[in-house]
Structures are given as C-alpha cells and as structure tokens.
Amino acid sequence: MPSQSHPTTSEVAMPNTVMLRTDVFTKAMVLAGFRSDYGMAKAMGVNRSTVARVVSGELRPGAVFIASALTVLAPMEFKDLFDIVPLDEATLTRGKD
C-alpha cells in the first residue's frame, strides 16, 4: 500500500464557504414572479427571515437554502446563484463569521 504524504503548512488549502450572488438571486426571484421575500420563502419552504438574512449577508446559505433556491429558480444552476469564496474573504466581505 503506497504511503500518503501529508501537505505541509504552506500547502494546506484555506477553508471555503458558499456565498449568495445577491444581485443574480434577486433578479431571478423577480423574473420567476416572486414579489417579496415572503413569497420566495414560502416556495422554498424556509422562513422569510432566512431569505432576508441570506440576501442581506447576515447569514450564509445552508444546504436547505441552496437546494430549495435551485429547485424554485430552475433552470438556474449553482454557479449562477452562488460563489465559493475563502472563508476569511466571506468574513471580511460580510462582517460576520
């Protein structure tokens, strides 16, 4: 069995997170006929406050939000609605961790 080499400190990747592309999400929501966070939240099966907090950047999108947004806003794809960014960049951009 070949031995596995472990990355050195300089090779360790920074952790990443998912951020909502707010401008695209908001435009897609309107084009899909949703006039409010409430309507979108109802279609997604999440609380209105969850949609509002993710859109404002106060909350990062979780698995349920991501899956529901992709389902409700089909044919939008992950790459259309979300960005993968370094965790430290998300913290600096949004001011939250």
Side-chain angles (χ1 to χ4, degrees), residues 70 73-77 80:
L70 292 171
L73 297 175
M76 299 296 281
E77 297 180 1
D80 300 321

Side-chain angles (χ1 to χ4, degrees), residues 63-95:
V64 171
F65 184 96
I66 293 168
S68 299
L70 292 171
T71 301
V72 171
L73 297 175
M76 299 296 281
E77 297 180 1
F78 182 89
K79 66 181 179 172
D80 300 321
L81 296 175
F82 302 96
D83 286 321
I84 298 173
V85 299
L87 186 58
D88 61 337
E89 183 179 316
T91 302
L92 293 173
T93 302
R94 303 297 184 187

Side-chain angles (χ1 to χ4, degrees), residues 33-54:
F34 296 102
R35 298 177 186 264
S36 67
D37 289 348
Y38 175 78
M40 184 65 181
K42 187 172 180 180
M44 291 174 66
V46 300
N47 290 323
R48 183 210 57 82
S49 63
T50 300
V51 173
R53 291 174 64 203
V54 171

